[in-house]
Amino acid sequence: MVDMAINKGKLYIVATPIGNMADITLRALETLKSVDFVLSEDTRVGKKLLDQYKINKPMISYHHHSEAKKMREIESLLDNGKNIALITDAGTPGISDPGNLLIEQLIKNDKEVIVAPIPGPCALISALSISGFPTDKFIFLGFPPHKNKRQKFFKEVANAEQTVVIYESGHRILKCLGELKEFLKPDKKIVICRELTKMFETIYRGKIDEIMNNMKDERGEFVIIIN
Ligand code: SAM
């Protein structure tokens, strides 16, 4: 049993930058250089990163809509001893992006598969680290659902006793804050981190009304933290 696992390839879950291309660990670069294939959520984004570090590897796309055939291809590569790195468009694969599904499936089909984390940037952890809010306990709720259950989601955020972290994109940030405001006690403290590690990084701190009045530019990627 163990021998079989040794002959198999390994799947490395490699964290990549959330904006600033220099935010990548030495181990992540070594891993990307050493593997046989790189699985990438968007191969254009993946290629840009690999080009920056002069890494030339065959890439395979893997995203939310990847089908069973792609899964079999990945399994067969691992069965044949090929080492694979999974990267997604930003940060740590599997955190609100494809990755978990791949690992879940692989483990379901073969309990011996070796999946190794190569830790690094993650938007929610970066945001929490500068929030100044209690982080000994926190709840991460990911993206608000697009259609149904939005009210339930915002109620859960508003009623949480711990620090709550959510993700949102620029297209929906104002809608999201507007809906959150309906349920949130007006004196709750909020930190909004926009475009972390990028040129237009902006941190808003205050009550929801103050932030909505001050928010000048809603383009980009956002992490919202409520306490
Ligand atoms: N796997 C990623 C991670 O480790 O954080 C998250 C991927 S999720 C598809 C993308 C969301 O993460 C964005 O919509 C935004 O909410 C958040 N995000 C990613 N990069 C960010 C950044 N530089 N600044 C603020 N939020 C960011």
Side-chain angles (χ1 to χ4, degrees):
M1 294 270 264
V2 174
D3 280 347
M4 258 177 64
I6 287 170
N7 291 331
K8 281 194 164 207
K10 260 188 172 188
L11 176 66
Y12 296 95
I13 306 301
V14 181
T16 60
I18 57 168
N20 188 320
M21 288 290 236
D23 288 334
I24 186 154
T25 69
L26 295 174
R27 197 163 160 242
L29 291 176
E30 277 165 20
T31 305
L32 291 170
K33 281 180 196 157
S34 77
V35 292
D36 300 293
F37 292 91
V38 175
L39 288 182
S40 180
E41 182 179 5
D42 178 336
T43 49
R44 286 164 306 181
V45 177
K47 186 168 176 343
K48 208 167 135 205
L49 178 77
L50 296 198
D51 284 352
Q52 167 103 5
Y53 290 100
K54 301 194 168 43
I55 300 170
N56 189 9
K57 288 286 161 183
M59 292 194 124
I60 302 173
S61 79
Y62 178 80
H63 43 75
H64 278 302
H65 306 291
S66 290
E67 290 167 359
K69 188 168 159 251
K70 185 59 67 73
M71 182 62 63
R72 285 197 295 277
E73 186 189 334
I74 297 166
E75 276 173 333
S76 143
L77 289 170
L78 292 168
D79 284 344
N80 287 307
K82 302 292 183 203
N83 290 320
I84 300 178
L86 170 69
I87 59 174
T88 46
D89 290 351
T92 302
I95 307 300
S96 289
D97 64 21
N100 280 343
L101 203 63
L102 172 72
I103 300 166
E104 188 190 333
Q105 284 295 324
L106 286 174
I107 291 172
K108 204 153 96 187
N109 296 348
D110 173 5
K111 309 237 172 331
E112 310 245 309
V113 65
I114 297 173
V115 184
I118 309 292
C122 177
L124 85 104
I125 300 299
S126 306
L128 272 174
S129 76
I130 58 152
S131 69
F133 291 160
T135 53
D136 46 343
K137 281 187 196 167
F138 65 88
I139 308 176
F140 174 56
L141 292 176
F143 287 97
H146 280 182
K147 290 194 185 112
N148 304 328
K149 304 195 180 144
R150 276 181 80 86
Q151 279 211 349
K152 186 169 174 269
F153 178 90
F154 288 115
K155 269 187 201 161
E156 189 177 353
V157 172
N159 295 333
E161 283 173 16
Q162 296 90 350
T163 299
V164 187
V165 189
I166 64 174
Y167 279 170
E168 191 51 283
S169 70
H171 308 293
R172 297 194 191 82
I173 186 74
L174 290 181
K175 181 170 157 45
C176 168
L177 293 177
E179 288 177 62
L180 179 60
K181 195 177 152 202
E182 285 177 32
F183 300 101
L184 205 64
K185 288 203 192 98
D187 61 339
K188 278 266 194 178
K189 287 174 285 170
I190 296 195
V191 173
I192 297 189
C193 303
R194 169 182 174 238
E195 294 285 87
L196 287 170
T197 77
K198 301 187 202 177
M199 189 187 291
F200 297 107
E201 179 179 277
T202 318
I203 312 299
Y204 299 92
R205 296 176 192 268
K207 317 253 165 63
I208 192 155
D209 272 335
E210 297 163 351
I211 294 183
M212 286 178 82
N213 289 335
N214 288 340
M215 195 173 272
K216 298 206 172 57
D217 194 343
E218 63 269 17
R219 282 173 297 180
E221 307 284 4
F222 292 81
V223 182
I224 306 168
I225 313 183
I226 301 108
N227 177 245

